[in-house]
Amino acid sequence: MTALLAELRELLGAGGVLARPEELFVYEADGLTHHSARPSAVTLPRDAADVQRIVRACRKHGVPFVPRGAGTGLSGGAVACHGGVVIECARMNRILRVDPENRIAVVQPGVVNADLSKAVAKHALFYAPDPSSQQSCTLGGNVAENSGGPHTLKFGTTTNHVVALELVLADGEVVRLGNSAGLASGLDLVGAVVGSEGTLGIVTEITVRLVPLPERVETLLGIFPDVVSACRAVGAIIKSGLVPSALEIVDQRTIRAVEASVYAAGMPTDAGAILIVELDGPSAAVAVQVERASAHCRDAGAREVAVARDAAERQRFWRARKGAFGAMGRLAPDLYVHDAVVPRAKLPEILERVCAIGDAHRLRLSNVFHAGDGNLHPNISFDRRDADELARVLKAGEEILRVCVEAGGVISGEHGIGLEKREYMPLVFSEADLAAQIALRDAFDPEHACNPGKIFPTTRFCAESNPKARGYERVAFE
Ligand SMILES: Cc1cc2nc3c(=O)[nH]c(=O)nc-3n(C[C@H](O)[C@H](O)[C@H](O)COP(=O)(O)OP(=O)(O)OC[C@H]3O[C@@H](n4cnc5c(N)ncnc54)[C@H](O)[C@@H]3O)c2cc1C
C-alpha cells in the first residue's frame, strides 16, 4: 500500500487521496451501518482520466477498488469489505450538457439526483427517478443500484431513463455503451450495467432521459384506520385503470415519528395509516382522476381524503414522506431499512405477517413504502451495540425475506443485494442462474478487482440453492 499511496498522490495531488484513520472512518459503512470495513485509502477523482489512472495503479499493485457515490446505499454496496481503495465520485459533479430538444442530459456520476431536476426545470423538464435520498444520493449510485423512488410507479426506475454510459473497466480501458438517441443496437449492455452494483466497472458519464413537467399535479392524503385498508385502496385504484405517479403508504409509528420531527407536515397522529396518492397530467384529466381516486379511498375505509391546497403544502407532504427514515432517528440509534417486493394483491396479507415477525422478535418495526409497486420497506429501529437485539433484527430480516419470496416476491426492490443479501440470493436463483450471472461479471472483470465480495453468495446457503427457483425460465431445445 505504501508504494500505491505514493503513486496515487503523485497522480491526484495530496488533496485527492485520503489515508488517515480519522478520514477513512467515515467511509467504513454506507446507510446500512451494521456492515462495516475500513478501506486502505479513498481517492477523489475529478474526471474519467483520473479514474482510469487510479484503476491502473490499483491493478499494478494488485489492490481491489470500490466505486462510491454519496454512501447513502442501504445494502453495504460501497463498503470495501475486502479492503483496498475507494474511488469516490463526489467531485465528478458537473452537468456536462442539457439538450432540451432531445430531452436528454449528460452528467458526471457525482451529480446529486435532485440537482439535475433543479437544473433542467427552466426547460420545463425533470429527471423522473426520485429516491427519497435524492437530496444527497448521486446519479452514479442510482445507476449502480437501478434506484427507484415514489414516482417510479408511473415513470419507471433508473434503467428506464439511462440511454448511454461511459465506463472505466476493471483493466483501465474506457468504453462507451449505448447512444444518446437511445438507438443502440446489439446486446443491451447499458441494461446490464444499470443495477450491477458497481461490479462491472466505474461509471464516469451518464446520459439520461428527461421528462416534461406535467401541466397539473394533485396530491391526496387518504386517512385510514389501518395499513390493511390503505393497501386495499391501492389495489382498487390500480384495478380501476388509474395510473397515479405515486402511491405511498405511511403507517402510524412512522407518522408519529415524522410529526415529532423537523419533517412534521400536520399529518393526523391518530391515523392508522396514510396513503399518499399523486396524480399528474393534463389539467382536465387530473380533475376527474382526483374524484375517482378519492372515491376508491373512501370505499376502502378512508375516514377522510385531504387534497394538498397548493404546491407548498404538497412539498411539505413529500418532505415528510421522504424524511421518514431520518425521523426514525428519534426512535433508536440504528435503523434497518429492509427492502423486498411482493405481488401488489398480496400486500395486506404480507404486511400482517411482517408485523407479526417484528412482534415475535420483540422489535420496533414500522412501515413506509412504495405501495403501488408492492415494494415494502419494513423499518426496524434498534441499537446495534446490543448484540442480542442485533441478532433478533437479522433473524427477523431473514424471516421477512422468506415470507416475501414464498408469496412470489423478490429479495430487493431498489436497494440492491450488496453485502446485506448476498447469502439470500439462492432463495430466488438456482446455482445455474447464479453461474450465468457470474459469467456475465467475469466477461467484464474476470479477476473481480472491481467491488469484490458483493451480490454473489459466499457459502452459507449453497446447499439450499433451489434448482426450481424462479430466476429464469428454462427452455429445452431439440
Ligand atoms: C434516507 C434514505 C432514503 C432512501 N430512499 C431510496 C428510495 O426511495 N429508492 C431507492 O432506490 N433507494 C433509496 N435509498 C438508497 C440509496 O440512496 C440509493 O441506493 C442510491 O442510489 C445510492 O446512491 P449513492 O450515491 O449514495 O451511492 P453509494 O451508496 O455511494 O453506492 C451505492 C452503490 O453504487 C456503486 N457506485 C457508486 N458510484 C458508482 C459509479 N460511479 N460507478 C459504478 N458504481 C458506483 C457503489 O459501489 C455501490 O455498490 C435511500 C437511502 C436513504 C439513506
Side-chain angles (χ1 to χ4, degrees):
M1 269 313 290
T2 314
L4 174 59
L5 272 177
E7 201 168 322
L8 291 170
R9 286 197 179 105
E10 178 87 4
L11 294 172
L12 303 170
V17 183
L18 309 176
R20 291 207 304 267
E22 65 274 23
E23 292 169 330
L24 300 178
F25 176 71
V26 289
Y27 292 92
E28 282 184 4
D30 62 5
L32 179 81
T33 47
H34 54 273
H35 283 282
S36 65
R38 188 168 293 190
S40 307
V42 174
T43 51
L44 304 166
R46 290 189 186 278
D47 54 28
D50 278 352
V51 173
Q52 185 180 43
R53 288 185 203 108
I54 296 165
V55 166
R56 284 192 170 147
C58 288
R59 290 313 296 267
K60 190 170 105 191
H61 292 272
V63 171
F65 41 92
V66 179
R68 185 172 173 115
T72 67
L74 290 170
S75 57
V79 175
C81 57
H82 288 202
V85 171
V86 166
I87 303 179
E88 200 213 55
C89 299
R91 285 186 184 181
M92 297 173 67
N93 62 355
R94 281 181 301 133
I95 296 174
L96 302 170
R97 189 160 67 86
V98 176
D99 176 351
E101 200 178 329
N102 290 304
R103 290 191 198 150
I104 57 161
V106 183
V107 302
Q108 288 188 312
V111 169
V112 168
N113 176 298
D115 290 349
L116 179 57
S117 284
K118 275 183 218 145
V120 299
K122 58 176 178 275
H123 303 292
L125 296 168
F126 73 110
Y127 177 65
D130 63 333
S132 300
S133 52
Q134 70 182 145
Q135 301 296 339
S136 23
C137 69
T138 67
L139 290 166
N142 295 174
V143 167
E145 301 291 4
N146 185 21
S147 296
H151 290 85
T152 47
L153 171 62
K154 178 170 179 179
F155 296 104
T157 57
T158 302
T159 193
N160 302 112
H161 298 270
V162 175
V163 293
L165 291 171
E166 181 186 83
L167 190 71
V168 176
L169 298 176
D171 62 359
E173 189 187 349
V174 184
V175 294
R176 286 185 166 272
L177 309 175
N179 95 12
S180 59
L183 298 175
S185 47
L187 289 180
D188 178 12
L189 294 177
V190 173
V193 173
V194 178
S196 61
E197 303 191 22
T199 60
L200 301 188
I202 321 279
V203 173
T204 47
E205 191 183 288
I206 310 162
T207 306
V208 295
R209 290 198 172 97
L210 301 171
V211 178
L213 284 168
E215 186 181 310
R216 179 170 171 186
V217 182
E218 293 290 356
T219 309
L220 280 57
L221 245 56
I223 316 296
F224 286 86
D226 50 51
V227 173
V228 170
S229 50
C231 287
R232 286 205 194 96
V234 169
I237 289 170
I238 297 285
K239 190 172 164 212
S240 75
L242 286 173
V243 186
S245 51
L247 275 175
E248 299 278 307
I249 291 180
V250 188
D251 75 359
Q252 188 178 63
R253 270 194 195 148
T254 310
I255 296 168
R256 289 183 176 173
V258 169
E259 287 302 317
S261 77
V262 292
Y263 302 110
M267 295 186 289
T269 50
D270 64 338
I274 287 179
L275 171 63
I276 305 176
V277 185
E278 190 152 282
L279 297 151
D280 68 11
S283 205
V286 171
V288 177
Q289 290 171 9
V290 167
E291 291 310 315
R292 286 176 58 198
S294 304
H296 287 305
C297 288
R298 278 191 289 268
D299 289 350
R303 73 169 193 228
E304 185 193 340
V305 182
V307 181
R309 281 178 295 245
D310 51 28
E313 193 168 53
R314 176 165 49 254
Q315 273 161 20
R316 260 205 314 283
F317 289 157
W318 280 117
R319 202 169 156 263
R321 160 60 187 93
K322 294 189 174 184
F325 297 155
M328 302 279 184
R330 303 180 61 81
L331 305 183
D334 294 286
L335 182 69
Y336 183 12
V337 182
H338 218 330
D339 170 42
V341 190
V342 295
R344 210 169 20 228
K346 298 207 171 153
L347 276 176
E349 170 202 333
I350 298 302
L351 272 165
E352 281 183 338
R353 292 180 69 185
V354 164
C355 291
I357 291 171
D359 290 345
H361 290 284
R362 293 174 286 116
L363 294 168
R364 283 164 292 180
L365 187 146
S366 50
N367 289 286
V368 47
F369 58 103
H370 309 309
D373 296 310
N375 186 184
L376 295 178
H377 289 321
N379 298 315
I380 307 177
S381 301
F382 71 107
D383 184 344
R384 72 173 184 272
R385 294 166 298 186
D386 177 339
D388 175 61
E389 192 177 29
L390 177 58
R392 283 183 281 121
V393 169
L394 297 178
K395 187 79 187 80
E398 176 176 344
E399 287 174 20
I400 289 169
L401 284 188
R402 288 180 184 276
V403 162
C404 292
V405 171
E406 273 166 32
V410 292
I411 61 174
S412 169
E414 53 181 18
H415 297 166
I417 303 300
L419 284 176
E420 179 204 5
K421 290 181 181 154
R422 61 183 180 177
E423 309 303 346
Y424 299 112
M425 287 287 272
L427 289 180
V428 281
F429 293 111
S430 69
E431 273 185 52
D433 297 334
L434 290 169
Q437 294 179 44
I438 292 169
L440 174 66
R441 190 198 173 160
D442 289 349
F444 281 80
D445 176 15
E447 287 166 41
H448 296 196
C450 188
N451 210 1
K454 307 295 161 59
I455 304 180
F456 301 109
T458 49
T459 49
R460 207 177 115 212
F461 280 86
C462 276
E464 199 180 328
S465 189
N466 176 5
K468 291 189 185 146
R470 299 176 318 279
Y472 304 104
E473 293 284 329
R474 281 204 184 66
V475 180
F477 291 100
E478 292 298 314

